[in-house]
Amino acid sequence: MEKDIIVYHDDLTDSDNWATARFLQHAALKSPSIEVIWIVEPRQVSLGLSMTEEQIQACRNLLESYFPSLGDSYKVLRGGLLTRSDLDKIEGLAEHDRYLLEFAIKPAYGPKDDAELHGRLVALDLVTFLGDGPSNSVDVFLDADALNDVENPMNLNLHYHEELVARNKEELESYQVIMNEPYPQRVQYLREWYHSCIKSLEKKEVGRGNAVRNLNFVSLCEKVKAAKSVKFYGGASLELLQRLIRVDAVSNIQCYLQAGAFDVSKSLFHNQFNIALNPSAAKFVFEQAKARAFRTFFIVPSETTKRVKYALAGLSHDDASLGRRCLGFNCRVEPMKLATGEVTVNDFHDKKYLMPDLTAFLCAFQDGFAGSTLANATLVDIGGSLILRHEESEIRVYEIDKDILIGEREILDIISKLVVVNELL
């Protein structure tokens, strides 16, 4: 029987990715004819790298002292924009200062197997997260093939460790012991730690009928082509869409992406993050969208996603798992304090945060969300940066013209009324 399909495609690094998954889960359960395909796009990793807050600040201070011409020290550090030749030009640099400045040099990726290991653990965390919600059975698909073409613009020395948020006290204690080992000796211990965490979760989730599976691209294409309708929500790179286009599998897809920006000067990178993951794929997909390859093609740019804040009290209401994700990412609560319950959402009950992916999702699923309106745009290459420009085309852009706060009651109201019906698809 033909089905209505929603494809959720995200990388699960930030709390807004998890919030989007939860809202979609609530909406899909109200429509039994809907099948959600959960796809996780993994990121490159380099196991064993980390920086303390003190090291981050010290490195930034040194960047501002020695390399003011490079601009914003935070952008330089986050992007790993310093080079070894830059350091070698500084005469008389103290050994400790050099050590700190080397954190601003982007390290090489670790082996692909490490990235898959990391991705599998995070995907299993999504399985558990969804299992803790209103549904008890789910498969999540890991798109490991994306690692062949996606580039991580982030300096892996200070990448957020989303893999730690859901760990228990014993797992975190083991992790801390490993991180006290010298680098790179700790790397192999970390691989063993990942395997242990994965084994524990798999044992638990198999009993609940849940699993993480490798994405079978051929099977995905067959499902998409056979579906009555398909809505694709993307909060990761555009690489998977590029693959789908190349096998003529997008003609019945209504595509909604959190991607692009009209002004990248405010971005940490030369491109909006999801574009930066694979600029060539983004360019290709936008060109095909202009040529009407998709049934419809909508994007929610950075300017729009930064207009809406959400009350933590509403996001975490009767949802400890989502609350924990917000505490870890938005409030920067240490994982051990989350695991022991030393810090809870009650300590941040009045906080409000941006949720870019959630805003993009709600623009797609709720008519007129936050007063959003539609315009047209295209993607242009200006000095190596792919930016949006208003222009008549088949690419529709959601825009919100003022700052909005979604309070606790409004969030609960959205969740209770949010549905996925055929007319929207």
Side-chain angles (χ1 to χ4, degrees), residues 258 300-308 354-357 359-360:
Q258 198 276 94
V300 186
S302 293
E303 287 83 359
T304 299
T305 64
K306 292 176 181 177
R307 284 293 197 179
V308 184
L354 295 172
M355 293 278 152
D357 274 23
T359 295

Side-chain angles (χ1 to χ4, degrees), residues 149 242 246 275-287 386:
D149 298 293
Q242 177 176 250
R246 286 175 171 167
I275 300 290
L277 291 167
N278 191 330
S280 63
K283 194 171 184 179
F284 176 79
V285 170
F286 272 75
E287 287 172 350
L386 299 176

Side-chain angles (χ1 to χ4, degrees), residues 390-406:
H390 286 105
E391 181 179 301
E392 284 300 317
S393 76
E394 295 301 313
I395 300 170
R396 308 300 305 280
V397 180
Y398 284 99
E399 297 183 316
I400 298 174
D401 63 6
K402 61 180 180 179
D403 294 337
I404 301 289
L405 172 62
I406 309 295

